[in-house]
Amino acid sequence: MAPEIASKRVKLSADLPLDSGQVLSGVEIAYETYGELAADKTNAILICHALTGDQYVASDHPITGKPGWWERLVGPGKVIDTNRFFVICANVIGSCMGSTGPASLAENGKQYGMRFPVITIRDMVRGLVGLLDELGIEKLHTVIGGSMGGMQALSLAANWPERAERVLVIASSARHSAQNIAFHEVGRQAIMADRNWSEGDYYGSDASPDNGLAVARMAAHITYLSEEGLTEKFGRNLQDRDTKSFGFDADFQVESYLRYQGSGFTQRFDANSYLYITRAMDYFDLAEEHGGALANAFAGSSARFCLISFDSDWLYPTAESRHVVHALNAAGAKVSFVELSAPFGHDSFLLDVPALDRVMKGFIDG
């Protein structure tokens, strides 16, 4: 919880007003950069991370040691070419990789815990805009995001339309559906039912709500995959055994896989952060923020938009992207849209899909 992360960090010079009406003071934003910022500061690309992501988009994770979550796309000569662009990826507020969140110290010197104010996607973007201000970057070449990162990209385009020339949104939505809220609630209840959660006041104790957080991760991870992908990868294959145990060990490979995912997640993520970030996603409704009409959110926008969806993604299905595209059309915005075929479900935006690489590169370079 609130580990000392080897990352760039900036303290915002101004207080951060929140949608709840509360204010956060002394906000710190942890971030990573790749490439060099041009003298005229026009080559900056902001990458917004997803729910369980972080700023380590193209560098090894300091806790797990694993490669950056988009390392195949970000780097010299890659789709997001760091020979040309100055790439920024920041940890959102509410998270646990160096930016201010529930595990951070409050003014009284103790971790916020559940005293941390409930935040929204727009609040996260306020923090990112504050970072851009501190870096002296007035306008981004492109803002990019997948999943929750796409929500941030849309929020920036709607609420700070002058800050980005291009907006690339992948496997995302302008609002969270009832089904997605329901899945998040299952995860939150799993965490809060863990006796070690202790009403969020577990920092500094010998026990943390790892069991609840692992179950939350397991439930969520199922939504990131497709039935086709799960069947192809695991089927009904047994795990390290020839016959069923007639017990409750992980008989099936898919069970073992989910347990591994859950256990690994607890090593790098904070349970309270999971509560706050999922709640922010559930509250996200860009149309509601702009008088009930999504087209209002993009009225007068001069940015170019590109939306990408995947045919196997049932968490943020293509219909959600089309809904945004229709609103952009109604607002007279410049928008392109493509649905790509991939067997990996929602996680397709993180995996090797050559068609995704081509579309992204064409939009960024165009």
Side-chain angles (χ1 to χ4, degrees):
M1 282 74 73
E4 283 301 319
I5 303 299
S7 190
K8 297 182 177 70
R9 196 175 305 193
V10 64
K11 179 178 282 190
L12 301 186
S13 54
D15 289 348
L16 199 67
L18 305 176
D19 282 347
S20 66
Q22 297 191 60
V23 175
L24 273 176
S25 300
V27 170
E28 291 190 329
I29 304 292
Y31 66 102
E32 288 292 305
T33 63
Y34 310 86
E36 297 294 331
L37 184 62
D40 61 4
K41 299 187 177 182
T42 60
N43 69 330
I45 290 180
L46 176 66
I47 298 177
C48 304
H49 69 73
L51 162 57
T52 62
D54 48 55
Q55 65 269 39
Y56 297 100
V57 62
S59 47
D60 292 349
H61 195 282
I63 295 176
T64 67
K66 292 181 178 180
W69 53 271
W70 249 7
E71 191 174 58
R72 71 179 192 85
L73 293 180
V74 179
K78 296 184 180 181
V79 172
I80 304 173
D81 188 356
T82 53
N83 288 331
R84 292 183 56 201
F85 299 110
F86 178 66
V87 179
I88 310 159
C89 188
N91 193 220
V92 298
I93 62 166
S95 192
C96 52
M97 288 300 293
S99 291
T100 299
S104 302
L105 297 180
E107 292 180 356
N108 64 357
K110 297 181 179 179
Q111 280 94 350
Y112 278 103
M114 298 306 289
R115 293 180 296 117
F116 193 74
V118 170
I119 56 172
T120 65
I121 296 295
R122 184 160 53 181
D123 292 334
M124 293 177 181
V125 178
R126 285 190 180 101
L128 297 177
V129 170
L131 171 62
L132 295 178
D133 288 343
E134 298 291 342
L135 297 176
I137 297 171
E138 295 183 3
K139 192 163 194 173
L140 295 163
H141 178 281
T142 311
V143 58
I144 304 173
S147 192
M148 187 187 85
M151 295 178 179
Q152 295 168 66
L154 287 172
S155 181
L156 186 142
N159 296 296
W160 293 268
E162 74 287 352
R163 300 305 292 254
E165 292 182 2
R166 294 170 180 81
V167 182
L168 178 52
V169 178
I170 310 168
S172 194
S173 173
R175 62 187 175 190
H176 228 209
S177 69
Q179 176 178 260
N180 290 347
I181 295 170
F183 277 114
H184 276 175
E185 177 62 3
V186 170
R188 287 191 293 265
Q189 288 299 319
I191 290 170
M192 292 187 286
D194 189 319
R195 65 179 182 180
N196 290 329
W197 180 60
S198 301
E199 302 295 322
D201 188 22
Y202 52 83
Y203 301 115
S205 68
D206 294 331
S208 56
D210 288 348
N211 291 337
L213 181 59
V215 172
R217 174 62 170 179
M218 290 167 68
H221 197 71
I222 296 168
T223 71
Y224 303 153
L225 309 173
S226 69
E227 182 180 6
E228 176 188 354
L230 280 171
T231 300
E232 181 179 340
K233 190 170 185 177
F234 303 110
R236 289 181 53 83
N237 297 328
L238 297 178
Q239 176 73 24
D240 299 330
R241 65 191 71 204
D242 297 322
T243 60
K244 301 180 183 70
S245 69
F246 289 92
F248 295 97
D249 289 334
D251 277 8
F252 296 98
Q253 288 180 2
V254 68
E255 293 175 315
S256 178
Y257 170 74
L258 287 175
R259 292 185 186 189
Y260 170 79
Q261 288 290 329
S263 175
F265 186 59
T266 63
Q267 305 306 308
R268 67 175 181 87
F269 215 81
D270 176 44
N272 283 341
S273 283
Y274 195 87
L275 299 179
Y276 277 89
I277 296 175
T278 56
R279 178 50 97 200
M281 294 176 72
D282 292 348
Y283 279 175
F284 186 61
D285 186 339
L286 204 52
E288 182 182 68
E289 293 178 9
H290 294 84
L294 186 56
N296 291 345
F298 307 111
S301 175
S302 62
R304 292 174 51 202
F305 292 79
C306 178
L307 278 85
I308 302 171
S309 68
F310 299 97
D311 59 0
S312 58
D313 184 354
W314 57 273
L315 186 65
Y316 297 104
T318 292
E320 296 289 344
S321 291
R322 283 205 180 102
H323 179 62
V324 179
V325 171
H326 292 160
L328 287 163
N329 285 333
K334 294 167 284 189
V335 57
S336 56
F337 165 65
V338 61
E339 179 190 52
L340 300 178
S341 182
F344 310 117
H346 182 62
D347 265 359
S348 295
F349 81 97
L350 295 171
L351 301 174
D352 188 7
V353 179
L356 172 64
D357 300 5
R358 292 192 295 270
V359 174
M360 289 181 63
K361 184 169 178 58
F363 181 70
I364 295 168
D365 293 347

